[in-house]
Amino acid sequence: MSQPQMQRNLRQSIPTSSPTATGKIDQYFQISERGSTPRREVVAGVTTFMAMVYSVFVVPGMLGKAGFDVSAVFIAVCLTAAFGSLLMGLWARLPIAIGCAISLSAFTAFDLVLGKGLSPAVALGAVFLMGVIFTAISITGVRSWILQNLPAGVAHGTGVGIGLFLLMIASNDVGLVVKNAHAGLPVALGNITSFPVVMSILGLAAIFGVEQRKVPGGILLVVVAISGIGLAFDPNVRFTGVFSWPQLSAPGQASLIGAMDLQGALGMAVLPSVLALVMTAVFDATGTIRAVAGQAGQVDAKGHIHNGGKALTADSVSSIFSGLVGSAPAAAYIESGVGAAAGARTGLTAVVVGLLFLALIFFAPLAGLVPSYATAPALMYVGLLMLGGVAHMDMSDKIDMLAGLVCAVFILLTCNIATGIMLGFNTLVVGRLLAGEWRKLNVGTVAIAVALAAFYAGGWAI
């Protein structure tokens, strides 16, 4: 027998070991196939979690002003983020985290309850009903159809606009840009020498440096470092413990889980608000998913999102869950872009986010150790990266390019993603018609533009 033949027989006689747990995870989430590593996905998940953990304070604060039990809402927000992110990660396998939408939380608290005088139970019924309709739109393929009919300029403009929006959110949150109390433009420069502003700017510069040097988990390291500096020098950042038992309700208050009044939400006075929630969520969350998936490299050359149908359904089903547990509508978080910037490419990132929100129910005091100026640099960095979408616009198609820029700019100026998309669609359609380029339009694009224009003209927009 030849030497090569003996070596082949020897190799065949050695039993192969079963795949390791790490190998199974890699295979399930296609980590290596998408050019990532398990470690990078976990670090990106922790980074995304820290960027969006503020929601567990902001959402209960808003709903608390409307008469909701803050303790119960805190649990509901954590459960919603855990459920949505785990569903997105395990099923759609995309690095997109889900949580209670800040804008829709404000609408629930200040319009439905305080504005229209609805009870918290009826408002939760409206959230649940919105989730059902939203899911039906996703399952039947209407949302996928919208994505397929999203013009290239508007698609890239949405990403650019969300980047500008992130910059505004982060800058306003730390006081770098504030509301102008005097005559003139609506915003003004804040106190640029304040501790939060200085730490945010230094943190942004630090992220530039560590990312250029390709330091593993660089963004997360900067967030942790600034949090440590805040703990040492900022009296507002205090260590109050590590562990706390979750409270489903405050003493004397009933749990919000299953407390929704669906019959009340079906009233004619409430249904228009439900439809407003649906329409806003359709374009707001859909645009966010498209933008984050693109940043994570999960959009193919034809503009199709990897597992896009599952991602859209996971996003909408989460709103049904949020109504059941007692919180505001859920949506894909634009802060997921922070994870994408940290290297996230797979659903493992979203799974890590979901597990951390589950753990947060028992470790709530630790969340207070991450001040807004620690996560603001990460949001600013992602916002700046998303501005690169301008380079993907077709400069030879002037109308498509300008419509995309209209979309981007007005997402920022109106602080509303759906409004920017509406203006992008309509300027594109009208511009094409007046330029005699109607052959470049398709029925889907025109139908969406007309529907959005009617929605805003009717005064139903949020």
Side-chain angles (χ1 to χ4, degrees), residues 76 79-81 83-85 87-88 98-102 104-105 108 123-136 138 143 260 262 274 277-282 284-285 311-333:
L79 289 175
T80 299
F83 173 85
S85 298
L87 184 61
M88 179 69 79
I98 291 177
C100 292
I102 301 300
L104 300 183
S105 297
T108 303
L124 290 177
V127 171
F128 178 84
L129 186 59
M130 167 263 183
V132 172
I133 299 173
F134 196 17
T135 301
S138 299
R143 286 181 75 185
M260 62 182 184
L262 189 56
V274 172
L277 283 170
V278 172
M279 283 292 290
T280 301
V282 164
D284 196 320
L312 298 175
T313 303
D315 172 60
S316 57
V317 168
S318 299
S319 284
I320 296 178
F321 183 84
S322 66
L324 285 171
V325 298
S327 190
Y333 257 56

Side-chain angles (χ1 to χ4, degrees), residues 15 145 163 328 355 372 389 395 428:
W145 176 78
L355 293 176
S372 60
M395 298 300 171
L428 174 73

Side-chain angles (χ1 to χ4, degrees), residues 67-72 247-256:
F68 286 74
D69 178 9
V70 174
S71 300
Q247 296 180 346
L248 294 179
S249 63
Q253 297 285 337
S255 172
L256 292 176

Side-chain angles (χ1 to χ4, degrees), residues 171 173-178 190-202 234 373:
S171 300
D173 202 28
V174 299
L176 175 58
V177 174
V178 298
N191 183 2
I192 199 168
T193 60
S194 68
F195 185 77
V197 171
V198 171
M199 294 309 301
S200 298
I201 295 174
L202 289 177
D234 186 353
Y373 53 79

Side-chain angles (χ1 to χ4, degrees), residues 38-223:
R39 182 185 181 280
R40 186 184 302 164
E41 295 297 311
V42 171
V43 169
V46 176
T47 306
T48 301
F49 169 78
M50 296 184 76
M52 60 183 288
V53 73
Y54 70 91
S55 63
V56 302
F57 302 112
V58 175
V59 175
M62 288 191 291
L63 295 182
K65 294 177 182 178
F68 286 74
D69 178 9
V70 174
S71 300
V73 174
F74 174 85
I75 299 297
V77 171
C78 291
L79 289 175
T80 299
F83 173 85
S85 298
L86 286 171
L87 184 61
M88 179 69 79
L90 292 171
W91 189 45
R93 305 183 197 183
L94 285 171
I96 301 173
I98 291 177
C100 292
I102 301 300
S103 59
L104 300 183
S105 297
F107 181 79
T108 303
F110 303 119
D111 188 274
L112 292 183
V113 180
L114 296 178
K116 292 183 169 57
L118 304 181
S119 68
V122 173
L124 290 177
V127 171
F128 178 84
L129 186 59
M130 167 263 183
V132 172
I133 299 173
F134 196 17
T135 301
I137 290 174
S138 299
I139 292 176
T140 55
V142 173
R143 286 181 75 185
S144 295
W145 176 78
I146 290 172
L147 273 176
Q148 293 169 7
N149 286 280
L150 201 63
V154 175
H156 294 306
T158 300
V160 174
I162 290 175
L164 292 169
F165 196 16
L166 278 175
L167 285 166
M168 175 64 80
I169 291 171
S171 300
N172 179 251
D173 202 28
V174 299
L176 175 58
V177 174
V178 298
K179 182 178 180 180
N180 188 2
H182 309 288
L185 295 175
V187 295
L189 178 66
N191 183 2
I192 199 168
T193 60
S194 68
F195 185 77
V197 171
V198 171
M199 294 309 301
S200 298
I201 295 174
L202 289 177
L204 179 61
I207 290 177
F208 288 170
V210 297
E211 286 299 294
Q212 180 65 22
R213 295 175 66 90
K214 302 187 185 304
V215 176
I219 295 176
L220 177 59
L221 291 176
V222 172
V223 173

